[in-house]
């Protein structure tokens, strides 16, 4: 058995993603992060491999977003036209 558990709590996932448990819960409830609900109290669990796939998918989505929305440096302010000295 490896040191990494197969299933993670939402708090564990939040720690991995460096976000809040509430944010992870929202991802699960919206269906963006697949999870299972277990036990009589309905505790959520996310499989480690599913979390890794989610992270890979987010990298792909971010790469596509960056490609579609390139970062543009603010153009240097052009000096105001000077009046003709004639």
């Amino acid at each position: 058995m490896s040191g990494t558990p197969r299933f993670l709590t939402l708090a564990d996932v939040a720690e991995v993603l460096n976000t809040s448990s509430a944010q992870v819960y929202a991802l699960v409830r919206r269906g963006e992060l697949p999870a299972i609900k277990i036990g009589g109290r309905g505790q959520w669990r996310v499989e480690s491999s599913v979390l890794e796939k989610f992270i890979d998918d987010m990298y792909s989505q971010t790469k596509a977003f960056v490609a579609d929305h390139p970062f543009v440096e603010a153009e240097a302010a052009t000096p105001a036209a000077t009046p003709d000295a004639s």
Side-chain angles (χ1 to χ4, degrees):
M1 190 111 192
S2 70
T4 303
R6 180 174 177 182
F7 291 97
L8 303 168
T9 65
L10 297 189
D12 294 336
V13 173
E15 187 174 330
V16 169
L17 296 177
N18 195 27
T19 190
S20 68
S21 293
Q23 179 63 40
V24 173
Y25 179 75
L27 290 170
V28 168
R29 292 292 289 146
R30 286 193 305 259
E32 296 177 40
L33 176 60
I36 60 172
K37 199 170 180 182
I38 61 169
R41 293 176 36 203
Q43 297 180 16
W44 291 99
R45 295 293 183 269
V46 176
E47 195 163 0
S48 297
S49 60
V50 170
L51 177 59
E52 291 304 318
K53 182 180 181 324
F54 173 80
I55 292 169
D56 289 343
D57 291 348
M58 291 297 99
Y59 272 112
S60 295
Q61 287 181 24
T62 302
K63 184 177 181 179
F65 175 84
V66 169
D68 291 342
H69 304 87
F71 181 76
V72 179
E73 293 286 338
E75 293 184 358
T78 56
T82 55
D84 204 17
S86 347

